[in-house]
Amino acid sequence: MRTIGLIGGTSWHSTIEYYRGINQAINDHFGNNTNPPLILHSLDQHEIHRLQAEDRWDAIAGLLANAAAKLEASGAEAVMFCANTPHKVYPEVASSVRIPILHIADAVGSAVRRLSLSEVGLIGTRYTMEDGFIQRWLMERYGVTVITPSSDEARSRLQRIIQLELALGDFGQDTKRYVIEQISILRARGAQGIVLGCTEFPLLLAQHELDLPSFDTLQLHARMAVDFILS
């Protein structure tokens, strides 16, 4: 098996699900308790949020690049960010190491393509919804159009939900209803599926609660890691 380095901590709740999902899939593959070679570097989420608020993405890129370099030096043959938002600085970090960084939008794009969808909705942090790094990746590489909530109030509230509730392990019913409402609005605007572009959203919502196909970025990215480990 090949070794993967995980850059986690953003948040630790979803990082646990990455670790759980990858290990379970490897167990299932071998039919026993075989575990994969994983190396985890956990970041300080509070520090990352502070740098985001200060618009210091260069500093965030530096933290991620330092983590990736340490993982490479420790024997990792690939690295992955255990969250969507860090992919905003993917190009800077990818150019700083010799090993590949598994991009979360490749995992999503492949899944959207399998269902032959041409337009999907995306919810996530304000940065993920507004800065276009996931949208461009999906359009340029997979020909998929991505729409996001058009209301600034909705994007702001989703940002607060992620940082002040989900990232702290608070998964309330009122929050669930609001997120489902925003997904329904995107569906009415033409979304054929919904990308849960924050790795905490799958901890809040289940597919049976939605009226269109959902793309669980955490699960899809973890599966991508499993495929790399076994390749």
Side-chain angles (χ1 to χ4, degrees), residues 3-102:
T3 301
I4 281 194
L6 308 177
I7 300 179
T10 57
S11 71
W12 66 262
H13 300 279
S14 57
T15 302
I16 286 173
E17 298 306 316
Y18 268 91
Y19 186 80
R20 187 197 317 276
I22 293 170
N23 274 280
Q24 186 62 60
I26 295 296
N27 287 175
D28 293 344
H29 174 80
F30 287 102
N32 54 35
N33 60 349
T34 297
N35 298 124
L38 302 174
I39 309 171
L40 172 63
H41 185 107
S42 190
L43 299 175
D44 178 357
Q45 186 178 34
H46 182 76
E47 174 72 1
I48 296 293
H49 285 177
R50 182 182 67 80
L51 294 172
Q52 289 175 347
E54 296 173 0
D55 200 30
R56 294 181 58 196
W57 290 95
D58 56 339
I60 293 172
L63 290 174
L64 289 164
N66 180 61
K70 288 181 178 178
L71 291 169
E72 181 178 22
S74 298
E77 297 168 78
V79 168
M80 60 195 306
F81 307 148
C82 296
N84 286 267
T85 304
H87 289 79
K88 176 177 168 68
V89 293
Y90 176 92
E92 297 91 325
V93 182
S95 66
S96 72
V97 291
R98 296 183 299 274
I99 57 177
I101 298 179
L102 307 184

Side-chain angles (χ1 to χ4, degrees), residues 42-164:
S42 190
L43 299 175
D44 178 357
Q45 186 178 34
H46 182 76
E47 174 72 1
I48 296 293
H49 285 177
R50 182 182 67 80
L51 294 172
Q52 289 175 347
E54 296 173 0
D55 200 30
R56 294 181 58 196
W57 290 95
D58 56 339
I60 293 172
L63 290 174
L64 289 164
N66 180 61
K70 288 181 178 178
L71 291 169
E72 181 178 22
S74 298
E77 297 168 78
V79 168
M80 60 195 306
F81 307 148
C82 296
N84 286 267
T85 304
H87 289 79
K88 176 177 168 68
V89 293
Y90 176 92
E92 297 91 325
V93 182
S95 66
S96 72
V97 291
R98 296 183 299 274
I99 57 177
I101 298 179
L102 307 184
H103 200 297
I104 200 166
D106 281 327
V108 174
S110 297
V112 173
R113 179 178 284 172
R114 284 194 292 272
L115 293 185
S116 300
L117 306 185
S118 59
E119 187 167 0
V120 295
L122 168 69
I123 56 171
T125 64
R126 175 178 283 277
Y127 315 106
T128 299
M129 291 185 289
E130 295 182 355
D131 294 352
F133 50 93
I134 298 292
Q135 296 92 314
R136 286 190 297 272
W137 197 279
L138 290 175
M139 172 53 73
E140 293 170 2
R141 291 166 174 78
Y142 299 91
V144 176
T145 299
V146 178
I147 59 174
T148 58
S150 57
S151 161
D152 181 72
E153 189 281 330
R155 296 193 301 272
S156 295
R157 183 167 176 183
L158 288 168
Q159 171 73 8
R160 291 194 299 272
I161 283 171
I162 292 167
Q163 288 202 342
L164 302 180

Side-chain angles (χ1 to χ4, degrees), residues 123 157-158 161 165-166 170-185 201 204-206 209-210:
I123 56 171
R157 183 167 176 183
L158 288 168
I161 283 171
E165 296 180 38
L166 306 188
D170 182 0
F171 304 101
Q173 289 302 309
D174 288 344
T175 292
K176 176 182 290 191
R177 281 190 289 270
Y178 181 78
V179 174
I180 291 175
E181 176 187 327
Q182 292 306 309
I183 291 171
S184 296
I185 293 171
F201 279 141
L204 177 72
L205 302 169
E209 297 174 297
L210 305 176

